[in-house]
Amino acid sequence: MLKIGVQTKTVINHENPAEGFEKVKKAGFSCVDFSLNEYLLNKTLYAKQLNTFFDKTGEELQEYFRLFKEYSKKTGIAVHQMHMPYPNYVPEASEELNAYLRDVVAIKSMQLCEYLDCKYIVIHGLKLAKYLGSEEAEWKMTEKFLDFLAPMAKEMGITMCVENIYISTGNHILEGPCCDAVKAAERIDRMNDKYGAEVLGFCFDTGHANLVGIDFERFIMTLGNRLKVLHIHDNDGIADLHQVPFTFTKTRENKPSTDWNGFVNALKAIKFDKVLSFETAPVLDSFPMEMREDALAFIAKIGRYFAEKIEDR
Amino acid sequence: MEIVSSIAGIVLPEFPNQGIGDIKSAGFENVLLDLSVYCSGIKLRSFETKLNPEQVKQDFDKFIKGIQSKNLKVTIALLPYLLRDTKRTDLNELLLRIGKDSIKVLEKMGCKHIIVRPLYIGVPFDKEWEINKAYYLELAKECKKEDTMILLQNQCKDVNGHLVRGVCSDEKIAVKWIDELNKEVRSKRFGFCLDVGICSMCGQNMQDMIVTLGERVKTILISDNNGSAEKALLPFTSRADTENSTDWLSLIRGLRQIKFDGQLVIDCADTARNFSPILRPQLLALSKSIMDYFKWQIEIETSLKKYRSIVLFGAGNMCRNFMKCYGEQYKPLFTCDNNSSIWGTQFCGLEVKNPEALKKLPKDCGVYICNVYYREIEQQLKELGIENIEFFNDEYLSSYYENRLKRRQ
């Protein structure tokens, strides 16, 4: 059966990883998506600030996550994927800050990915189309960033995964980097050919796709086996809420307003064999403490439902 | 570029003359005949009982007379279409029949562009092209005039109330369809109408879409909405917290890139319906001004080409943005500013002068106001005796600096 995963944010805390991993296991997951982005938050970066977390040496970072790794092994919960802190470039910020994000944060993220035996790291494309004038010019900057990391990825056997993300006008969400599957497929193939290794893949985020009306089925089918990582979550089509699939409806018939059938059909068609990973940290925040374990188990159950449909059991 | 107003929400089928008069008085010369005004999706859904062809004919005759009396041209039409949540799957034959009949009438009226939405209700995912190809080719057979064009249009689809990208919303697929259809009929019979409202609801990158579609884009159907509900609102009326809901920057960039010279159609049917008929003339006058503004933005470079030389007024962010995007090709002689403390200094490679220096400009020099206090400065320039006064605007430029200059004290 396809493996089911969940992000570590709000589930496994650094002070007590043993308890967190046990919780994940008990809920029915077999993998985690390591939320490294928790250690350098996007809101800090958008405020053009940094923290000192990544000032630690490589050895210090490994020591910092030693217990995390130990309990991952002990419980058999693999770190299937991890999320690099984002954004990787902050317009209007100083050159020093942006150099730090590339030369320190990105590199140490890759090293941690390798340390945790994780094969996939999710990297956000740079959001620069407004300034540079086009999506193509924006991609060139993202590609430059990926090129910088690609030799390291190849050596470490890691696949960097670009994700469909969004921009906004006010609070209206619009497609951002990597929302064109045809372009993404061509760019992934070109980069992998260039390095002679699978250094680049794709992370499909269901919630982000739903916000900009992307046809799940067509998008996933276009990506095919370039799709390595999933961020499964739901929303109302308006705000990025990261909720449980099947939560939202828009009519009195109460049918889901997110195209989960298209999602399942496409994964089945491309014979997806990676991890059904949920990016649903806010769900646990919204449930009372006493119900969080049940909520987590419910998410895992939805994962098993998807797995059964995809594998046609 | 042709500016067009849709009749939807403005012209009533039973009594069309007031709406037609309002459109004409607002300064429009061309209209889009939205045939759903006469044959709505609700009527189509229950056509057996609700559609009265005789009544439609009578109403339509009144419309034609009204249009002729006001000397308005129907240069484009939109064929009747089904509502997105229509459950009946047996209506595509009816649409074809109505489409064929409509084309005959529209050609007689001198209508050159006919928007035909692709079929999608009751059409399986893997048969979209096959079914639509047959549909469009059948309709093309009815076109007798060489210059009649059938325009495909991007659609959304209804996923249990959530409108997401539908048929022809992927520009690469739309390009393929149009090219294959044109190949079949061995002429440029088919083109594209981009519905901005649908792009906005689906959060699409309009710049990319337009650039990919290129010269196939013949018509832009402009409306605003809140990004989730399908409404045709007056542009700039929907606010998403701190900014416009619709990404006008992306639209204007795309149209500039392809040097768009087709039809720019405004559809603000829902805003018009909201307004009292007493206020509608003023609303339509505003909608005409908005369309003129879009045309001006798209053709912003045309204005720069008018003069042998140019001078800027303002030495701040807008001047800096001008220099970034146009400074090389249209290098100003200098800029000027009311802030006397910066006279004689250099800004973005330009000398900053006292506005009094403008009095000595040659006659064929244009003065571009690069400051948001347009009307105040315009008045100042008029008092200086300047004639060639132009506005520059940096809301929709081809690129931007990542930072803004701090305001000078």
Side-chain angles (χ1 to χ4, degrees):
Chain A
M1 194 181 207
L2 281 168
K3 288 180 177 169
I4 320 291
V6 71
Q7 70 182 131
T8 56
K9 188 179 171 189
T10 71
V11 184
I12 302 175
N13 69 53
H14 187 75
E15 283 66 41
N16 193 352
E19 184 191 56
F21 273 104
E22 286 300 340
K23 220 189 289 178
V24 166
K25 190 172 183 177
K26 190 178 159 201
F29 295 98
S30 46
C31 295
V32 287
D33 171 355
F34 178 48
S35 314
L36 184 62
N37 52 312
E38 257 198 301
Y39 297 86
L40 177 53
L41 295 175
N42 58 349
K43 62 182 180 189
T44 306
L45 292 171
Y46 283 126
K48 294 168 218 146
Q49 288 169 356
L50 283 169
N51 61 22
T52 56
F53 183 79
F54 284 94
D55 288 349
K56 292 181 179 65
T57 64
E59 291 73 28
E60 284 168 342
L61 281 170
Q62 288 189 7
E63 179 54 27
Y64 189 83
F65 290 114
R66 189 177 51 79
L67 279 181
F68 186 95
K69 183 173 176 168
E70 267 181 36
Y71 285 108
S72 161
K73 298 279 174 224
K74 203 178 271 182
T75 52
I77 302 288
V79 182
H80 173 260
Q81 61 203 62
M82 72 185 274
H83 208 309
M84 185 181 281
Y86 61 90
N88 298 304
Y89 181 90
V90 187
E92 294 189 45
S94 64
E95 275 180 34
E96 291 74 25
L97 185 143
N98 283 318
Y100 183 86
L101 289 177
R102 188 193 57 195
D103 300 338
V104 179
V105 177
I107 287 180
K108 287 182 179 171
S109 299
M110 296 294 287
Q111 289 166 346
L112 277 173
C113 192
E114 185 187 33
Y115 172 70
L116 294 172
D117 300 320
C118 171
K119 294 292 169 203
Y120 301 102
I121 185 161
V122 175
I123 299 178
H124 281 192
L126 278 55
K127 295 181 179 180
L128 291 170
K130 181 186 171 184
Y131 305 106
L132 301 177
S134 70
E135 189 275 340
E136 298 288 337
E138 175 184 75
W139 172 257
K140 275 187 189 160
M141 297 300 284
T142 297
E143 193 167 345
K144 203 170 153 191
F145 186 84
L146 296 169
D147 266 328
F148 173 71
L149 297 173
M152 189 182 251
K154 182 178 179 179
E155 198 184 311
M156 293 171 168
I158 292 171
T159 302
M160 304 178 286
C161 294
V162 285
E163 175 185 358
N164 53 307
I165 55 177
Y166 58 84
I167 55 169
S168 64
T169 166
N171 59 9
H172 177 209
I173 287 175
L174 307 169
E175 69 173 69
C178 303
C179 282
D180 183 322
V182 174
K183 279 186 189 177
E186 181 271 323
R187 288 163 177 173
I188 289 168
D189 291 350
R190 188 158 41 82
M191 187 159 239
N192 290 341
D193 284 349
K194 180 175 167 185
Y195 289 96
E198 225 171 35
V199 292
L200 193 61
F202 202 88
C203 165
F204 181 67
D205 187 299
T206 59
H208 299 172
N210 195 48
L211 289 169
V212 295
I214 282 174
D215 185 318
F216 286 15
E217 199 162 352
R218 209 186 289 268
F219 199 97
I220 293 171
M221 301 276 268
T222 305
L223 287 173
N225 66 3
R226 300 170 191 90
L227 177 63
K228 306 295 181 193
V229 170
L230 293 169
H231 284 169
I232 306 172
H233 56 102
D234 204 357
N235 58 52
D236 58 358
I238 297 170
D240 192 15
L241 302 169
H242 287 258
Q243 292 296 313
V244 181
F246 305 109
T247 304
F248 295 93
T249 64
K250 283 188 183 278
T251 63
R252 293 306 301 268
E253 288 161 343
N254 299 320
K255 301 269 191 235
S257 55
T258 303
D259 186 14
W260 296 112
N261 284 336
F263 175 67
V264 165
N265 290 342
L267 291 181
K268 189 172 168 179
I270 67 164
K271 297 184 169 51
F272 183 74
D273 61 357
K274 301 290 185 295
V275 175
L276 296 169
S277 192
F278 290 82
E279 203 181 43
T280 45
V283 174
L284 298 193
D285 281 335
S286 61
F287 273 88
M289 194 62 84
E290 297 88 334
M291 295 186 71
R292 286 187 187 172
E293 284 191 24
D294 292 330
L296 203 58
F298 182 56
I299 293 168
K301 194 169 180 183
I302 293 172
R304 287 195 294 279
Y305 165 80
F306 281 146
E308 280 170 15
K309 294 288 170 196
I310 292 161
E311 292 175 328
D312 209 6
R313 287 176 184 229
Chain B
M1 203 179 308
E2 189 177 285
I3 303 285
V4 183
S5 171
S6 170
I7 65 162
I10 302 163
V11 173
L12 299 177
E14 305 85 355
F15 305 105
N17 289 336
Q18 177 168 284
I20 290 170
D22 289 346
I23 291 173
K24 180 72 182 182
S25 302
F28 290 101
E29 299 291 334
N30 305 292
V31 296
L32 176 142
L33 170 55
D34 182 342
L35 286 169
S36 72
V37 169
Y38 295 91
C39 185
S40 68
I42 294 171
K43 284 183 182 169
L44 284 174
R45 204 156 54 183
S46 317
F47 75 97
E48 296 92 340
T49 53
K50 289 197 174 163
L51 198 61
N52 178 349
E54 200 44 48
Q55 185 65 52
V56 171
K57 194 182 172 310
Q58 277 178 28
D59 290 343
F60 196 65
D61 287 344
K62 284 187 222 166
F63 171 77
I64 292 175
K65 276 184 197 152
I67 284 285
Q68 284 168 345
S69 73
K70 292 289 177 189
N71 204 19
L72 279 168
K73 282 184 229 148
V74 177
T75 49
I76 180 161
L78 169 61
L79 292 195
Y81 50 85
L82 301 179
L83 298 176
R84 308 255 179 236
D85 60 353
T86 302
K87 298 281 186 284
R88 282 183 70 168
T89 56
D90 61 336
L91 297 172
N92 292 339
E93 269 302 312
L94 175 69
L95 284 176
L96 179 62
R97 221 164 56 228
I98 293 173
K100 284 179 165 183
D101 291 344
S102 303
I103 287 172
K104 283 179 201 154
V105 177
L106 292 167
E107 279 199 327
K108 274 186 199 156
M109 292 170 73
C111 178
K112 289 195 167 49
H113 287 171
I114 303 168
I115 306 167
V116 185
R117 292 186 175 185
L119 301 175
Y120 59 95
I121 292 169
V123 177
F125 179 73
D126 57 349
K127 300 255 184 219
E128 278 174 357
W129 168 233
E130 191 186 318
I131 289 173
N132 275 293
K133 183 181 174 186
Y135 175 61
Y136 281 115
L137 290 176
E138 272 301 303
L139 289 171
K141 283 183 194 162
E142 291 303 318
C143 299
K144 303 300 174 207
K145 290 189 180 171
E146 210 172 295
D147 56 355
T148 304
M149 282 197 91
I150 293 175
L151 307 185
L152 284 67
Q153 191 192 38
N154 51 314
Q155 298 302 300
C156 52
K157 67 176 178 185
D158 186 326
V159 177
N160 299 317
H162 183 200
L163 296 177
V164 301
R165 299 178 194 194
V167 190
C168 287
S169 66
D170 182 326
E171 65 275 15
K172 295 178 198 77
I173 293 173
V175 163
K176 211 171 145 195
W177 283 26
I178 292 166
D179 291 352
E180 289 200 27
L181 286 168
N182 282 334
K183 202 170 151 194
E184 284 283 335
V185 297
R186 293 179 188 166
S187 69
K188 296 218 165 170
R189 176 72 76 199
F190 294 93
F192 200 77
C193 166
L194 187 87
D195 186 324
V196 172
I198 288 177
C199 291
S200 185
M201 276 196 306
C202 298
Q204 292 186 268
N205 180 334
M206 287 185 268
Q207 182 185 5
D208 264 15
M209 290 180 80
I210 292 166
V211 171
T212 303
L213 285 158
E215 62 173 13
R216 297 168 192 85
V217 183
K218 304 297 174 193
T219 300
I220 304 290
L221 192 56
I222 293 185
S223 64
D224 207 347
N225 59 50
N226 69 355
S228 59
E230 193 172 17
K231 295 283 173 213
L233 304 180
L234 187 72
F236 308 117
T237 57
S238 183
R239 190 85 174 151
D241 192 19
T242 54
E243 290 177 76
N244 283 305
S245 298
T246 299
D247 183 12
W248 302 113
L249 172 66
S250 171
L251 173 71
I252 291 168
R253 276 181 174 176
L255 293 176
R256 276 198 202 129
Q257 264 179 276
I258 65 163
K259 297 186 168 47
F260 180 72
D261 192 28
Q263 291 165 314
L264 215 51
V265 183
I266 185 157
D267 177 6
C268 58
D270 290 298
T271 304
R273 288 185 190 110
N274 258 2
F275 270 69
S276 160
I278 297 169
L279 291 169
R280 221 165 278 160
Q282 287 88 335
L283 172 72
L284 288 174
L286 177 60
S287 90
K288 175 66 168 56
S289 300
I290 290 171
M291 296 308 276
D292 290 339
Y293 174 74
F294 275 122
K295 182 176 185 298
W296 176 77
Q297 279 286 4
I298 295 160
E299 295 175 341
I300 201 160
E301 259 193 89
T302 311
S303 146
L304 292 166
K305 286 176 184 155
K306 276 196 324 202
Y307 300 103
R308 189 179 286 266
S309 59
I310 65 164
V311 160
L312 306 184
F313 192 109
N317 277 297
M318 205 186 290
C319 169
R320 183 171 172 243
N321 283 331
F322 178 97
M323 293 306 290
K324 184 177 198 301
C325 296
Y326 299 106
E328 203 171 310
Q329 204 175 345
Y330 306 97
K331 189 166 177 61
L333 301 174
F334 60 88
T335 188
C336 54
D337 201 284
N338 284 332
N339 182 353
S340 59
S341 70
I342 56 169
W343 293 345
T345 63
Q346 291 282 315
F347 184 74
C348 300
L350 299 175
E351 186 185 353
V352 185
K353 292 191 180 187
N354 181 336
E356 288 291 320
L358 299 173
K359 287 179 179 170
K360 294 175 194 156
L361 290 177
K363 274 212 168 305
D364 53 3
C365 181
V367 180
Y368 281 78
I369 302 175
C370 290
N371 187 297
V372 291
Y373 300 104
Y374 293 109
R375 287 169 291 285
E376 267 183 79
I377 294 169
E378 186 183 26
Q379 188 55 38
Q380 181 186 350
L381 293 177
K382 280 181 180 167
E383 284 164 14
L384 285 171
I386 309 298
E387 285 175 2
N388 301 331
I389 305 168
E390 302 280 351
F391 294 170
F392 179 70
N393 179 274
D394 63 357
E395 287 170 89
Y396 307 111
L397 290 184
S398 56
S399 64
Y400 287 96
Y401 286 101
E402 287 180 16
N403 61 342
R404 278 182 68 79
L405 294 174
K406 294 229 166 74
R407 201 189 173 103
R408 291 173 194 222
Q409 296 305 309

